[in-house]
Amino acid sequence: MTQVVPEIAAPLPAPAAQARTLLLNASLEPLCIVSVHRAVLLMMCGKATVLETDGRTLHSAHVELPLPVVISLTRYVHVPVRRPVPPTRRTVLQRDSHRCAYCGGGADTVDHVHPRSKGGRHEWANVVAACVRCNHRKADRLLHELGWELPFTPRAPRWSIAFGSGAVRADPLWSAYVVA
């Protein structure tokens, strides 16, 4: 006589358990990044709908839901004007994708294009990511003194503080909704 063992749904794989979900307002404006747990609660309460999924599903005893990657609120939520993101080391490196503005290599420091010793200010338009080697070579000189040029014009990023930490681990499916 053989014993029948009921199938038990496997727990979420590690990537799904650590997944994050992009939350959009009803106007499709990005609001913040939430945990999958929070996203599922919003979906089950009828406060949000799924816009993007990666094909995986979440199972319970009675419900099967798609793993949400991007969700949208069903009602518009008024968001007060957000403060601009300050140009810190972390946010400048995120804006420049951890690439040196001078040589294109990996960056781990921040450099003032117009040196502070010569009147330059600590603002987005004057700060770029740089590698230690280029930062040391440039020192407190101007770019034209070295014959260097920037491949881009530094400017403030368009993402808010809510996306600062999540931007590093952004899902490719978010690109249609979040403008960098």
Side-chain angles (χ1 to χ4, degrees):
M1 190 163 108
T2 61
Q3 187 177 9
V4 176
V5 180
E7 280 189 38
I8 299 173
L12 284 176
Q18 297 170 353
R20 308 295 278 170
T21 302
L22 177 64
L23 176 63
L24 305 176
N25 210 338
S27 62
L28 300 183
E29 164 195 11
L31 289 177
C32 62
I33 299 166
V34 297
S35 67
V36 170
H37 178 81
R38 177 75 176 137
V40 169
L41 286 175
L42 289 169
M43 290 165 40
M44 294 191 75
C45 291
K47 295 181 179 183
T49 57
V50 178
L51 296 180
E52 297 282 344
T53 182
D54 63 359
R56 296 182 286 178
T57 57
L58 302 172
H59 302 273
S60 75
H62 303 287
V63 180
E64 183 175 325
L65 294 170
L67 180 70
V69 176
V70 179
I71 61 172
S72 172
L73 294 176
T74 54
R75 295 181 58 184
Y76 181 81
V77 175
H78 175 72
V79 180
V81 177
R82 293 186 175 136
R83 297 177 315 209
V85 181
T88 63
R89 180 179 175 273
R90 188 183 89 216
T91 56
V92 171
L93 289 172
Q94 283 178 352
R95 179 199 65 186
D96 296 349
S97 303
H98 291 268
R99 292 276 154 226
C100 178
Y102 305 120
C103 70
D108 45 9
T109 64
V110 172
D111 182 56
H112 292 86
V113 178
H114 186 93
R116 294 182 84 176
S117 63
K118 295 185 179 181
R121 299 178 51 118
H122 185 72
E123 56 190 23
W124 282 108
N126 190 42
V127 181
V128 294
C131 64
V132 174
R133 184 173 171 261
C134 290
N135 200 352
H136 184 70
R137 283 183 58 200
K138 182 178 171 291
D140 67 343
R141 293 178 281 192
L142 298 172
L143 293 179
H144 69 82
E145 293 174 14
L146 297 166
W148 291 3
E149 290 184 16
L150 283 176
F152 64 94
T153 302
R155 60 183 170 91
R158 286 187 268 173
W159 38 261
S160 69
I161 291 174
F163 296 101
S165 61
V168 176
R169 298 181 307 272
D171 192 290
L173 293 173
W174 295 0
S175 62
Y177 304 96
V178 178
V179 179

